[in-house]
Amino acid sequence: EEHATRAHFLLAEHFRRRGEEVAALRHYEAVLARDMDYPNARARLERLRQRRGRAAPGSQVATIAGGDALGVSAGARYHLIRELGRGATAVVYLARDTDLERDVAIKLLHPHLAGAGSKHACAQFFAEARLAASLRHPNIVAILDVDEASRRLVMELAAGGTLRSVLTQGGARSPRRALERHVQVLAALSIAHARGIVHRDVKPGNLMFRRDPELVGVEIMLGDFGVANLPEGEKHTRDETAAEARVRGNAVGTLAYMPPEQRRGGLVTGKVDVYASSVVLFEMLCGRHPLSRDTILAGPRRPGDFQLPKEVLALMPAAVGKDLQTHIDWLSDPSASARPESEEAREQACFLRDLLIAAGEAVAGSAQPCSGQLIAALLVGNDGRRRHLLALAAPAVGLLNPQKEVVT
């Protein structure tokens, strides 16, 4: 860490002498994010800011160099503890809310996003952040405070890390756990889409946990609404290669999770998020992306090319596996018009999850009547597709007599 701080300071000095002030500002920011008292860094950053006409206006300073903006100085509400991570558009800090005595996460947008060229994107980001702050759902990261003047968001703390870290460290999830998470992701998307919010960057790195994800009852949360609208401060993010970033061009999001219409950079609907959720589901089931790097870069997609491996399908009854594959194919269809809306996708995912739970009970040899009651409950109602799928799968899970006709 000490070497990284020194390297950022030397780069900042290099760019300052060359007159590349934006680059110098970024590196001075990186220095102070790691060491608030690093010699000369604060003074030189402030001089650069004043020269560019963006001097810190008291408590409304927009950079970490000004303590009041993040609650570092006495009497402020939020007190920084440490950096949690940084990306192309922002730095995230662990902080303490002294008014409510709780830990929170603070996202501070990089200073270069205050420039004239990014003004519209920055304003749009905060407009969406305010709308997202009105979403109250257990599967959406709560936005607690929005301060556009200091380019700051205060959010609930995701102390359990991201789905990306879970998959990297633990590999594929069990089919039941993957479907449970999938339902939760679609529930968050359904709420957001009902309010007209399209996320545009659903991926494991933006899916988080409040606590240890292995604990019972811990649900997944979707965060970073609106961030995809911001211009990239780096050539590419950790979720894509430089080659993918070049292919992505001006389209917002992450290439590996984009359907064809999003790659083209045109207007998008909530169905781009539905597509991305199918990629995430495949990753949870298999521990890898459904497509190779070459295929991602090439672009053309065909229906049904998200095929689950035989070893994954072997973990569940054949009929359930078949319906799960159908579900993935539906959500990942290259044509937006063929994909379901998020609420329709959620309803089917709930059904598949319940089927898998029932199948697990049957495989375990459970004699409890709750399994038969679950099947009976799922058969009731006017949802013809649900009842048809259940009629196909019920004999496989052994909960209905396969010699008798299932009335649908």
Side-chain angles (χ1 to χ4, degrees):
E1 186 69 17
E2 181 180 348
H3 293 302
T5 305
R6 176 64 176 167
H8 278 294
F9 183 80
L10 292 175
L11 285 168
E13 292 287 273
H14 169 74
F15 287 120
R16 180 177 63 84
R17 293 190 182 100
R18 288 173 55 113
E20 297 179 32
E21 295 181 347
V22 172
L25 279 169
R26 293 179 194 170
H27 287 288
Y28 282 130
E29 286 285 335
V31 171
L32 293 172
R34 291 167 169 81
D35 185 351
M36 298 284 291
D37 299 313
Y38 197 89
N40 298 321
R42 185 189 300 271
R44 290 177 184 175
L45 175 63
E46 289 303 315
R47 280 200 296 270
L48 275 178
R49 288 176 56 80
Q50 291 169 8
R51 185 179 305 152
R52 294 176 59 82
R54 291 192 283 126
S59 64
Q60 295 300 313
V61 60
T63 162
I64 186 137
D68 291 341
L70 287 176
V72 179
S73 65
R77 177 173 179 175
Y78 301 110
H79 285 242
L80 282 184
I81 299 175
R82 60 182 172 87
E83 180 181 325
L84 294 176
R86 60 178 55 236
T89 57
V91 185
V92 180
Y93 301 91
L94 171 64
R96 184 70 175 173
D97 181 345
T98 58
D99 283 5
L100 299 179
E101 291 298 318
R102 62 180 177 182
D103 289 336
V104 296
I106 290 183
K107 180 186 291 289
L108 182 67
L109 301 188
H110 291 319
H112 67 273
L113 293 175
S118 305
K119 186 175 181 180
H120 174 73
C122 204
Q124 186 174 2
F125 165 75
F126 279 103
E128 292 200 12
R130 289 188 179 89
L131 190 55
S134 68
L135 302 177
R136 287 291 181 264
H137 192 272
N139 300 124
I140 295 176
V141 174
I143 298 177
L144 308 175
D145 191 14
V146 178
D147 188 343
E148 187 169 354
S150 43
R151 301 196 306 283
R152 180 185 69 200
L153 291 182
V154 181
M155 306 169 293
E156 69 171 308
L157 182 64
T162 67
L163 178 61
R164 169 63 65 210
S165 62
V166 169
L167 294 176
T168 299
Q169 296 169 14
R173 307 288 87 187
S174 69
R176 175 174 172 174
R177 180 57 62 89
L179 271 172
E180 288 172 345
R181 301 301 190 208
H182 179 56
V183 168
Q184 293 161 12
V185 171
L186 289 172
L189 291 175
S190 180
I191 292 294
H193 294 168
R195 296 291 302 276
I197 303 174
V198 180
H199 191 284
R200 295 177 298 278
D201 201 21
V202 177
K203 59 185 179 182
N206 286 336
L207 293 164
M208 310 162 199
F209 301 93
R210 291 182 178 87
R211 296 179 292 139
D212 183 347
E214 302 303 327
L215 295 176
V216 176
V218 176
E219 297 193 357
I220 205 165
M221 303 184 296
L222 179 59
D224 274 358
F225 281 89
V227 168
N229 264 335
L230 293 171
E232 296 289 354
E234 301 171 0
K235 292 187 181 297
H236 56 92
T237 68
R238 61 169 296 187
D239 292 288
E240 63 183 356
T241 65
E244 289 171 348
R246 286 193 295 272
V247 171
R248 169 171 51 80
N250 293 325
V252 295
T254 302
L255 188 67
Y257 300 87
M258 286 184 179
E261 72 270 23
Q262 189 177 6
R263 289 172 64 116
R264 292 191 291 268
L267 293 176
V268 298
T269 68
K271 291 187 176 183
V272 303
D273 294 338
V274 171
Y275 175 95
S277 75
S278 73
V279 181
V280 174
L281 173 58
F282 189 101
E283 285 192 79
M284 288 191 288
L285 289 165
C286 305
R288 61 171 177 82
H289 195 279
L291 304 176
S292 67
R293 290 287 187 188
D294 289 342
T295 303
I296 292 171
L297 290 171
R301 283 284 325 283
R302 294 174 299 177
D305 58 5
F306 281 23
Q307 291 297 312
L308 292 171
K310 292 180 180 180
E311 58 269 23
V312 172
L313 294 173
L315 298 175
M316 63 197 87
V320 178
K322 180 180 178 181
D323 290 331
L324 178 56
Q325 181 66 68
T326 300
H327 176 75
I328 292 176
D329 291 343
W330 192 27
L331 273 59
S332 65
D333 197 290
S335 172
S337 62
R339 268 176 251 138
E341 299 291 347
S342 52
E343 177 59 19
E344 190 176 9
R346 185 197 66 81
E347 289 178 355
Q348 190 187 74
C350 286
F351 169 70
L352 290 172
R353 175 203 60 195
D354 294 344
L355 263 189
L356 198 59
I357 292 172
E361 292 177 356
V363 170
S366 172
Q368 296 179 5
C370 63
S371 298
Q373 291 169 0
L374 173 61
I375 293 294
L378 290 172
L379 280 169
V380 174
N382 297 319
D383 189 339
R385 179 176 178 80
R386 253 178 182 252
R387 290 183 285 120
H388 174 65
L389 286 173
L390 184 54
L392 291 176
V397 301
L399 295 176
L400 297 177
N401 187 339
Q403 302 302 318
K404 295 181 180 180
E405 181 181 359
V406 177
V407 179
T408 62

